[in-house]
Amino acid sequence: MNDLKLTDSNLELSGVFSAEAFKSHEQVVFCHDPETGLKAIIGIHDTTLGPALGGTRMWSYQNEHEAIRDVLRLSRGMTYKASISGLNLGGGKAVIIGDSRKDKTDALMQKFGEYVNSLSGRYITAEDVGINTHDMEMVKMKTDHVTGIPVEMGGSGDPSPVTAYGVFMGMKAAAHYKFGSADLAGKRVMVQGIGHVGETLVKYLSEAGAQVMINDIHMDRMEEVATKYQAQIHQGDVFTADYDIYAPCALGATVNPESIERLSATIIAGAANNQLANEHRDAETLKNKGILYAPDFLINAGGLINVYSEIAKYDRAESMRRTENIYDTTLAIFRKAEIENITTHQAALIMAEERIAKAKAEKN
Ligand code: NAD
């Protein structure tokens, strides 16, 4: 298998187009502006179903290789997310390299907006980790190809509460399938990452009577959320604690052979994208251990459903109704996986790929 090799001293291009990570992408755009310090990568994975829509993430990547890998994985996930949610959208994503607490400026975000604009609508951006509605306002100054802008500007605002609602629906479906009841009262749930999505998920869970444990790298956030929703702070390794449901709501790849080995939970249902470090290997291990995995790109689609609605004419009630359907789709995926003796991840991928293949066939 070829791999992407980029080092400081040597930009090795041979084999890039056949590299496993890159193979299925239509376009990858590198954006560099020394004046504002912008270093961004936009990944457009597949536009069969429509323009590639996906959020922009700002993160302190260790190196550019890590950022490329992230944008390729995330944009591919968006293709499947849009497809399985029945949306006429393709998959795309952008990453900005830098610390969002220190390096982000209005000028940098506006410059990023210019790059998005240069793609003439093939890529539509929105928020992701490290990016907020104010940043989208800055992007909007340079391009119309942006969603998730503030409500005051005619947009749908922060998509995270809708994402959290969808995750809650997916988690309830998983509880129904695993425990025989969708009622989460008394269930011990570990929410890892209590940012935009995580906090709202904690709210839904505490309203449902679940025993919520929270974990984050920022102590101030944990104290705030713990006080607001009577959640229990868990410091350190989340996989050593005892609970029923693990909700990864920080970054990806937290589900891997080491964490699965120690995990006491029998359900994984969270918001983070690309939760499985190695999708097929880890999904298989979860299946063999009897841990029910609610596919991330299926249950975290609420935000995408919400921003999709903004493109036509924003209707919050309709977005919430469509997001509620995640409950039924998740159950359908669990049943398909069981009947066909495949992983839940595979079942969701097959369903998403079938819709894309059908659209391709109709175009030809
Ligand atoms: P956010 O930046 O608001 O929150 C992320 C939180 O995770 C922060 O509080 C951060 O401190 C914490 N965190 C980071 N690393 C951690 C670690 N190692 N351990 C514990 N906590 C850690 O982001 P968000 O918008 O809430 O998104 C959370 C996840 O959900 C991301 O993976 C994102 O891609 C995914 N997602 C978000 C949306 C959305 O609508 N915002 C939609 C779909 C998927």
Side-chain angles (χ1 to χ4, degrees):
M1 177 172 63
N2 287 316
D3 207 350
L4 210 54
K5 279 190 192 144
L6 295 172
T7 64
D8 285 346
S9 58
N10 170 30
L11 180 62
E12 200 176 302
L13 281 174
S14 64
V16 165
F17 286 105
S18 55
E20 199 54 38
F22 194 79
K23 221 159 46 184
S24 57
H25 283 72
E26 289 177 12
Q27 192 177 7
V28 178
V29 183
F30 289 79
C31 319
H32 186 211
D33 181 55
E35 207 167 300
T36 56
L38 176 75
K39 281 187 194 162
I41 310 167
I42 300 172
I44 297 178
H45 176 251
D46 190 296
T47 55
T48 306
L49 297 175
L53 196 155
T56 297
R57 170 175 295 189
M58 185 157 186
W59 191 253
S60 325
Y61 293 100
Q62 299 288 324
N63 51 50
E64 282 119 1
H65 197 156
E66 200 182 274
I68 295 169
R69 193 178 140 73
D70 209 27
V71 80
L72 293 178
R73 275 164 59 94
L74 289 166
S75 50
R76 176 173 170 267
M78 292 307 293
T79 299
Y80 296 129
K81 190 184 303 198
S83 177
I84 205 163
S85 308
L87 308 176
N88 292 327
L89 290 173
K93 201 89 181 180
V95 297
I96 298 178
I97 301 170
D99 183 337
S100 64
R101 288 192 169 197
K102 290 196 213 119
D103 305 328
K104 195 167 58 182
T105 61
D106 287 354
L108 182 141
M109 290 311 300
Q110 285 176 25
K111 188 46 98 177
F112 176 67
E114 286 177 19
Y115 280 104
V116 172
N117 201 46
S118 74
L119 294 168
S120 310
R122 264 176 67 72
Y123 170 65
I124 303 170
T125 198
E127 289 140 27
D128 193 59
V129 176
I131 298 292
N132 56 39
T133 48
H134 171 79
D135 303 324
M136 285 299 112
E137 232 178 286
M138 295 302 107
V139 172
K140 173 81 181 159
M141 287 170 79
K142 302 292 177 183
T143 184
D144 284 336
H145 307 301
V146 51
T147 56
I149 54 168
V151 179
E152 316 80 74
M153 290 177 74
S156 60
D158 178 8
S160 321
V162 191
T163 302
Y165 185 61
V167 172
F168 183 59
M169 287 297 120
M171 192 184 286
K172 281 171 77 73
H176 173 89
Y177 205 77
K178 189 82 189 170
F179 307 135
S181 164
D183 188 359
L184 294 170
K187 293 282 177 275
R188 296 160 305 165
V189 186
M190 170 68 79
V191 181
Q192 181 187 32
I194 40 159
H196 288 90
V197 181
E199 176 174 350
T200 312
L201 180 63
V202 170
K203 173 179 157 288
Y204 282 124
L205 289 169
S206 59
E207 283 168 2
Q211 287 179 40
V212 191
M213 300 156 89
I214 54 172
N215 173 266
D216 201 284
I217 46 172
H218 296 297
M219 194 60 197
D220 51 343
R221 281 293 296 154
M222 285 205 282
E223 280 167 356
E224 193 188 328
V225 173
T227 313
K228 244 166 135 177
Y229 307 103
Q230 285 79 53
Q232 187 192 326
I233 292 177
H234 178 86
Q235 282 179 282
D237 185 3
V238 298
F239 301 105
T240 52
D242 195 26
Y243 46 88
D244 306 301
I245 301 172
Y246 168 50
C249 296
L251 295 184
T254 57
V255 181
N256 52 52
E258 293 75 40
S259 61
I260 299 171
E261 180 67 31
R262 289 178 294 142
L263 192 68
S264 61
T266 49
I267 287 177
I268 300 178
N273 286 308
N274 300 326
Q275 292 165 23
L276 308 177
N278 177 313
E279 54 184 296
H280 295 300
R281 177 200 65 194
D282 299 331
E284 197 63 43
T285 313
L286 291 172
K287 176 175 175 279
N288 293 339
K289 279 196 79 177
I291 299 171
L292 186 61
Y293 169 65
D296 48 11
F297 65 85
L298 164 62
I299 73 164
N300 72 11
L304 183 67
I305 292 168
N306 197 54
V307 292
Y308 177 69
S309 154
E310 186 180 322
I311 297 173
K313 188 179 174 300
Y314 186 56
D315 181 344
R316 176 76 165 204
E318 172 61 13
S319 289
M320 292 300 270
R321 196 195 55 72
R322 281 189 92 141
T323 302
E324 207 160 298
N325 287 343
I326 288 176
Y327 183 94
D328 291 335
T329 314
T330 308
L331 276 184
I333 289 296
F334 292 155
R335 290 191 186 113
K336 180 180 170 68
E338 190 169 345
I339 291 165
E340 296 179 19
N341 192 24
I342 54 177
T343 69
T344 54
H345 180 73
Q346 268 173 310
L349 275 185
I350 291 169
M351 195 185 260
E353 275 166 354
E354 275 171 359
R355 187 168 165 242
I356 297 167
K358 193 162 167 268
K360 270 197 178 124
E362 278 165 10
K363 274 186 185 175
N364 294 329

